[in-house]
Amino acid sequence: MAEQLISTAEHDRLPDSYVRPETQRPRLREVVPDAEIPVVDLADPDRAAVVARVAEACRTHGFFQVLNHGVPEELTAAMMSVAYEFFRLPAEEKAKLYSDDPGKKMRLSTSFNVRKETVHNWRDYLRLHCHPLEHYVPDWPDNPPSFRETVSAYCREVRELGFRIYGVISEGLGLDGGYIKETLGEQEQHMAVNFYPRCPAPELTYGLPAHTDPNALTILLMDQQVAGLQVLKDGRWIAVNPRPSSLVVNIGDQLQALSNGRYKSVWHRAVVNSDRPRMSVASFLCPCNDVRIGPAAKLVTGDTPAVYRDYTYAEYYAKFWSRNLDQEHCLELFRT
């Protein structure tokens, strides 16, 4: 099955299995190329101003870019470099890591869920579980030689950044600063290293179609040379262009539920291009599997009743992976 990987060869024609029906194509000419994107400087000494900017971005966009985030620039560069090195490995070496089983803790795969979908996506990806590191790193790829050390260091930094952002988001909701981190339990951490090869017909397919993230918070390291992330805002797709030294923060489904719908899990997609490949590294903070998730009690009143029922993350995650990526919002299945 590893022959399904699209990163093992150049392609001069888009295979039929990747061609979207006409009504589902990305319509790239209609994308807003220069929309204003929320940007938050985490080094701003005015804490109240940072909290207010993040809260506004969570309400209006469901995502924002962060500057002065504390992850060393040389580490983000090394992470991107080792990701490209990995996908340049010989096909036979990558084939050893291939799996289409979404339950595997470490796998190299393609598209999204090839067992379920009818049209594929122009993406190969390496999926890693990252916490606790000492449990998972021994099973990670050991080639390139610097892979385990570099990715481990990046994972540690991003985890701490995510917890700092949780504090800001909690305060913006009028909750104690530690509320989200404590409520979501001993959180798992996953990573998707996404590789989007040059595509012969980018207007006919996606790297990933429109979706929200099932976890709590996503921190995305973007390729600084190539754009491809787009988010839905007021019914229109807007391009999120690379900003030097920044990371992108996405609100996931679990924070939409916890905020009782005040903050929106952002609909986003990845498009591809015919000129050059693109890489992104998505880090996902995920609630503990058995913790019960639902709207924060302080946010549920007579005027604002609970929008979602309580559930466990294990229940949610199983439902998410049982469906196609571009079906209705999975959170809709958990409404009261």
Side-chain angles (χ1 to χ4, degrees):
M1 295 295 286
E3 62 272 10
Q4 293 192 57
L5 292 171
I6 56 174
S7 59
T8 55
E10 288 288 324
H11 302 267
D12 55 13
R13 176 186 168 276
L14 186 68
D16 291 343
S17 59
Y18 291 85
V19 177
R20 292 268 162 182
E22 190 165 351
T23 57
Q24 298 177 16
R25 293 174 186 174
R27 300 179 182 176
L28 298 174
R29 291 184 182 87
E30 298 177 12
V31 174
V32 180
D34 53 1
E36 187 172 342
I37 302 297
V39 179
V40 179
D41 183 351
L42 293 181
D44 188 335
D46 187 343
R47 173 76 173 189
V50 172
V51 170
R53 280 195 290 272
V54 168
E56 176 69 11
C58 292
R59 281 193 301 269
T60 61
H61 287 73
F63 83 104
F64 49 96
Q65 290 177 307
V66 288
L67 300 173
N68 294 312
H69 42 68
V71 182
E73 200 161 335
E74 60 270 21
L75 183 55
T76 59
M79 179 68 241
M80 191 62 70
S81 176
V82 81
Y84 268 109
E85 285 183 62
F86 174 82
F87 278 98
R88 284 195 291 261
L89 290 174
E92 58 271 18
E93 183 148 359
K94 288 190 287 190
K96 299 173 190 174
L97 304 173
Y98 181 84
S99 174
D100 62 8
D101 178 4
K104 289 198 69 173
K105 307 293 188 185
M106 192 284 294
R107 69 186 186 278
L108 175 63
S109 198
T110 192
S111 190
F112 173 71
N113 188 351
V114 292
R115 294 183 176 185
K116 294 282 183 182
E117 63 203 17
T118 54
V119 182
H120 299 321
N121 304 296
W122 199 253
R123 173 186 79 140
D124 285 350
Y125 65 98
L126 179 65
R127 185 85 180 194
L128 303 173
H129 281 223
C130 309
H131 182 79
L133 282 167
E134 62 272 15
H135 184 77
Y136 292 113
V137 169
D139 295 325
W140 287 3
D142 56 7
N143 196 14
S146 64
F147 185 91
R148 292 180 178 178
E149 180 180 357
T150 299
V151 178
S152 293
Y154 180 76
C155 286
R156 281 190 288 267
E157 293 285 347
V158 165
R159 186 175 182 85
E160 288 308 309
L161 172 61
F163 289 157
R164 285 170 54 207
I165 292 171
Y166 274 166
V168 176
I169 293 174
S170 291
E171 290 176 35
L173 288 167
L175 306 170
D176 291 339
Y179 181 86
I180 293 176
K181 183 174 184 288
E182 293 165 8
T183 298
L184 298 184
E186 181 59 31
Q187 290 167 71
E188 292 193 8
Q189 182 178 347
H190 305 167
M191 174 184 284
V193 184
N194 302 305
F195 182 66
Y196 306 96
R198 289 192 310 113
C199 180
E203 69 282 359
L204 300 182
T205 193
Y206 289 103
L208 279 174
H211 64 285
T212 64
D213 289 342
N215 51 295
L217 195 73
T218 302
I219 298 176
L220 183 72
L221 173 61
M222 297 176 67
D223 195 319
Q224 289 295 304
Q225 307 303 316
V226 195
L229 173 65
Q230 298 176 353
V231 301
L232 191 63
K233 177 73 169 70
D234 299 329
R236 298 191 68 184
W237 289 101
I238 63 175
V240 182
N241 297 313
R243 176 184 287 266
S245 305
S246 73
L247 294 168
V248 176
V249 179
N250 285 4
I251 299 300
D253 293 351
Q254 307 317 311
L255 291 189
Q256 179 169 328
L258 186 147
S259 72
N260 203 26
R262 288 191 192 182
Y263 293 171
K264 302 303 180 187
S265 182
V266 63
W267 283 91
H268 55 290
R269 66 185 190 180
V271 297
V272 291
N273 72 85
S274 57
D275 297 326
R276 57 191 302 173
R278 185 174 76 91
M279 187 78 68
S280 71
V281 180
S283 296
F284 308 102
L285 285 180
C286 310
C288 177
N289 275 330
D290 59 2
V291 74
R292 294 201 69 77
I293 298 168
K298 191 174 179 179
L299 305 180
V300 177
T301 68
D303 293 329
T304 56
V307 178
Y308 306 104
R309 66 172 176 86
D310 288 357
Y311 54 85
T312 65
Y313 187 61
E315 179 187 1
Y316 193 92
Y317 201 62
K319 180 67 71 175
F320 180 85
W321 278 99
S322 72
R323 306 157 70 252
N324 288 335
L325 186 62
D326 51 359
Q327 283 182 259
E328 69 170 335
H329 194 175
C330 189
L331 200 53
E332 290 298 308
L333 306 176
F334 295 84
R335 280 188 173 269
T336 50

